[in-house]
Amino acid sequence: MIQIEHLNKTFGAITAVQDVSLSVAEGQICILLGPSGCGKTTTLKMINRLIAPTSGTIRIAGRDTAELDSVTLKRSIGYVIQQVGLFPNMTVEDNICVVPNLLGWDKNTSRKRAAELLEVVALDPATFLKRYPCELSGGQQQRVGVARALAADPPVMLMDEPFGAIDPINREVIQDEFMRIQRQVGKTVLFVSHDIDEAMKMADCVALFHDGRIEQFGTPDDLLARPASDFVASFMGGDRIMKRLRLLRSVDVASQVPPRQGGSSSAQLVVKPGDDLRQVFSQLLGRGQDWALCNDSDGRFVGYVHQADILARLADHTTHGVH
């Protein structure tokens, strides 16, 4: 869906982005990760030509964006920023309808679309359509921002640290909500973040930037298990093995092999198939237990989750860090 080839951006004598190439398949979330000033936001803004590239090629669905009218290009791409950017003098409904109105949609069609999208982002249209941004919480404003970006049903969404201004507890909630929305709408998303946990949780693929270049591009597990350089290993942190556990679910290691009898006398831990293994492993250690029972939401037996099997799944982890 998105192909970037040898992209460069200079500002006078300063090189902000240097020889960036990556490819993102349709329906994937690609997170541009890295420290401040590494070129990730500049790269994002070149995709919808908020910043003009110095050189290189950007293709969306096979079309070179340099050959497209810049206004048409911007209107065809959803864009979500950290501070949301809702128009304070417009209602929620009017904010969502901005791009459909610019595209000449019928007024009734635009307003119907706004109501539908509020339901998608789990906000009641009857309650929120006529409210103004100042009447919303930060998390509610962010959901409206996502709805606005989806209004014209764009194939691609660009998101520049969209959850960075939200407190950690609510950030987890809205991340989960966005993942639910993504499963429903299946957009191709490029997402700037400096938060490693956010990237590991949400990304199908990650481009880790350093000094304007991509230091490594791959799946979250690639970066955690097989860092390509000392910088990648250092940036991902010394707890990479525990971060990898978050990528796996109980069902990934559930076994039909029954545990040995004995051990702790406390009530046996019961987990669900979708629970991440970092949480399960921590609970097992805290309880002094070697295994957990895995049942589905209806209480049906799925298997046993053994500590040994969790550790075995991490056997390809390179203790020295860099391949």
Side-chain angles (χ1 to χ4, degrees):
M1 172 59 78
I2 301 174
Q3 292 86 34
I4 299 175
E5 298 174 354
H6 306 295
L7 192 64
N8 295 277
K9 181 62 185 178
T10 57
F11 296 94
I14 299 173
T15 299
V17 174
Q18 186 173 2
D19 198 30
V20 164
S21 296
L22 60 86
S23 180
V24 184
E26 184 175 358
Q28 284 192 329
I29 296 176
C30 175
I31 290 190
L32 311 183
L33 182 66
S36 297
C38 67
K40 56 189 187 295
T41 294
T42 301
T43 298
L44 189 82
K45 289 182 175 180
M46 285 191 281
I47 293 171
N48 66 351
R49 226 179 303 157
L50 284 175
I51 295 175
T54 301
S55 62
T57 304
I58 301 169
R59 291 186 176 86
I60 297 177
R63 300 186 67 184
D64 188 338
T65 60
E67 299 173 357
L68 302 176
D69 173 74
S70 63
V71 174
T72 301
L73 175 67
K74 290 179 177 69
R75 291 178 182 175
S76 69
I77 295 175
Y79 195 59
V80 184
I81 60 176
Q82 180 172 338
Q83 300 296 336
V84 188
L86 299 179
F87 297 107
N89 61 324
M90 291 184 179
T91 65
V92 166
E93 182 178 51
D94 290 335
N95 266 282
I96 296 174
C97 290
V98 165
V99 173
N101 289 343
L102 289 172
L103 293 174
W105 288 25
D106 173 80
K107 182 177 180 180
N108 290 333
T109 302
S110 294
R111 297 194 180 284
K112 181 181 178 182
R113 177 67 172 164
E116 291 172 348
L117 286 171
L118 280 187
E119 291 182 347
V120 169
V121 299
L123 294 174
D124 179 19
T127 302
F128 290 96
L129 273 174
K130 301 303 180 183
R131 287 190 180 180
Y132 286 86
C134 64
E135 299 175 289
L136 307 178
S137 69
Q140 289 168 345
Q141 289 184 30
Q142 198 65 60
R143 292 182 190 207
V144 174
V146 171
R148 184 175 63 180
L150 290 169
D153 198 23
V156 171
M157 288 182 64
L158 307 180
M159 307 181 75
D160 190 0
E161 300 204 44
F163 312 137
I166 300 173
D167 65 88
I169 294 175
N170 285 319
R171 190 182 310 151
E172 284 273 351
V173 172
I174 198 166
Q175 285 169 352
D176 292 341
E177 189 64 28
F178 180 79
M179 296 300 287
R180 180 193 65 78
I181 295 168
Q182 172 65 1
R183 287 192 293 271
Q184 183 175 343
V185 300
K187 300 300 180 183
T188 305
V189 181
L190 263 73
F191 185 130
V192 165
S193 180
H194 64 269
D195 186 325
I196 296 172
D197 286 336
E198 183 171 71
M200 297 302 99
K201 175 180 180 177
M202 301 184 68
D204 296 299
C205 53
V206 177
L208 179 56
F209 280 71
H210 179 48
D211 290 340
R213 292 177 173 269
I214 293 180
E215 194 78 13
Q216 186 170 352
F217 179 69
T219 66
D221 195 56
D222 287 336
L223 273 69
L224 291 171
R226 294 167 288 278
S229 68
D230 288 334
F231 171 80
V232 178
S234 175
F235 188 87
M236 300 309 291
D239 62 341
R240 296 195 310 277
I241 189 166
M242 292 302 292
K243 288 188 175 78
R244 287 190 71 205
L245 288 178
R246 187 169 184 173
L247 304 178
L248 297 170
R249 299 289 176 260
S250 297
V251 70
D252 295 327
V253 297
S255 167
Q256 300 302 307
V257 178
R260 295 179 179 179
Q261 298 302 312
S264 172
S265 60
S266 61
Q268 191 60 49
L269 176 64
V270 179
V271 299
K272 291 183 170 59
D275 289 349
D276 76 70
L277 288 186
R278 182 167 66 174
Q279 177 186 9
V280 173
F281 192 63
S282 295
Q283 288 178 309
L284 286 172
L285 290 177
R287 287 167 168 256
Q289 295 180 348
D290 295 325
W291 59 277
L293 189 65
C294 184
N295 292 339
D296 66 17
S297 56
D298 295 323
R300 292 188 294 254
F301 172 74
V302 174
Y304 303 99
V305 177
H306 298 270
Q307 270 199 46
D309 291 337
I310 295 174
L311 295 173
R313 289 299 297 264
L314 301 174
D316 65 339
H317 184 77
T318 304
T319 55
H320 297 292
V322 182
H323 276 21

